[in-house]
Amino acid sequence: MLPFPNQSPTQALRRPAGGRQIQNRTKSTRIIRGGDLGGRLKRRRATGLFEQQQAGQLAMATQAALFAGFSQLAAQPARDRAGTGAPARVGVAAIGGARVGGVKAGGAGWAVARRGVRCRASLIEPDGGRLVDLVAPEEGGRRAALRREAASLPHRLRLGRVDKEWLHVLSEGWASPLQGFMREHEFLQALHFNAIRGADGRMVNMSVPIVLSLGDAQRRAIQADGATRVALVDDRDRLIAVLSDIEIYKHNKEERIARTWGTTAPGLPYVEEAITNAGDWLIGGDLEVIEPIKYNDGLDQYRLSPAQLREEFARRNADAVFAFQLRNPVHNGHALLMTDTRKRLLEMGYKNPVLLLHPLGGFTKADDVPLSWRMKQHEKVLEEGVLNPESTVVAIFPSPMHYAGPTEVQWHAKARINAGANFYIVGRDPAGMSHPTAKRDLYDADHGKKVLSMAPGLEKLNILPFRVAAYDTKQKKMDFFDPSRKDDFLFISGTKMRTLAKNRESPPDGFMCPGGWKVLVEYYDSLVPSEGSSKLREPVAA
């Protein structure tokens, strides 16, 4: 359910599911220019930013300019990796075509082809230089053969909800260059360095462990047989993947929690969901997934892989992609930030910057608005013109949420590199949460954006810090905060927004589009206790 440029927003949101349509590119593809700028914007003179990056000398002064505000970069045109000064193009080669990575799909070289899609050396390339694809191809009978192989394996590991979400992430290449659940050397690198060393010797960012646990009885049985492969099944015992060349090692939960969250305090949502009751051992290996992961929840059409997203950006002739992650409903302050970012990219000399509006679709804590309701709200934002559907791609990011602050925000940024984004918008306290036992935030609100500016493996990604937006009571709309008239601005927190929606009260005019606010009120209405009961109902699907 993407906004497609040749359709009205309503038509676009009803487009049939799947990635097939984005592979059928025609000569009539419409090029979106995003406003009448005459197509003649002059490129500004280079100041050496990207030459320094290419030389591996990411100047702290450059990052200081980023933190001072995106506007200070308006005079510096983004460069391709060769430093030519021209805004580089975004694109992929042979997705869904006859050749993948130089090997004909379905031919004798299928094992090489399935491991990745070679991307053109352009604005930004996937980590490791190749977008990993771990789903067995139908061509050549490999998918059917893998299903038979999985059925014949004596050892099966059942995946929980979060495990399956990570398998989805791995299978589509969001974690490129990872080829499967982490072995011990990868786990330790991620845990202690927030990066792993690729096959070419370069360090790539990987700030959160992507691991699979198993219990002691399973470990003993697998090791007693000397098994090197195990089948993975879902919660209904359906075969979904094979893990090969396995390695089993100790799951030190306390070390993992302390290194990832910076605390072992009780009440961390992801820890309670996925670690506390997990097995005391971890199993890593090379992953091969039988078929693309589907959830059959009415939202699969939003779940575009990195390869599909890159193809869509190329289809739209995007020359810059800026990503915005969120796990909350979109209000007009968010929209102001996104539209302002596009305006500034146009001023920098880009012709068609495209927004990737990318809500997180995996596990979230209980008091977050469920994914189905958020997607329904995002549809209204597009239908009512708050965001331009012709320059916006809406898709679901399948990762589960850690709420691990500066550690996790690196993962969020790294994954968007693999999807083709070369700009990433970061706000206050990204991936943060309240301390589970104390009355304070768990992380410093500014540390996320500071860490992103220094994180190993993210040098090629342009980090765009938030400009603070608030409700202007004089203009009666969301606007960028002006400290010279601070008394005119009202800050509406997430807590305040939820309270208003729960009480069926309206926010100030201009805070959120009417249709989007109505969806939010409907969600909280769905939680009202049923008659004769004091217990809140479970959230219902939108």
Side-chain angles (χ1 to χ4, degrees), residues 385-454:
V386 178
L387 291 174
N388 183 356
E390 295 189 335
S391 58
T392 303
V393 174
V394 181
I396 291 172
F397 178 44
S399 174
M401 187 77 190
H402 279 67
Y403 304 92
T407 297
E408 184 175 16
V409 74
Q410 296 174 66
W411 158 242
H412 293 167
K414 173 251 171 50
R416 276 37 179 252
I417 290 175
N418 288 330
N422 53 319
F423 291 89
Y424 185 78
I425 302 174
V426 60
R428 179 189 179 278
D429 196 20
M433 59 172 282
S434 298
H435 195 285
T437 59
K439 293 184 178 180
R440 59 178 177 84
D441 289 339
L442 185 54
Y443 306 106
D444 185 288
D446 292 327
H447 281 185
K449 63 185 179 184
K450 291 179 179 179
V451 166
L452 281 183
S453 75
M454 302 178 286

Side-chain angles (χ1 to χ4, degrees), residues 467-468 480-489 491:
R467 295 176 65 190
V468 178
F480 292 119
F481 178 68
D482 181 356
S484 68
R485 53 185 189 92
K486 59 183 180 181
D487 292 339
D488 293 341
F489 286 86
F491 287 89

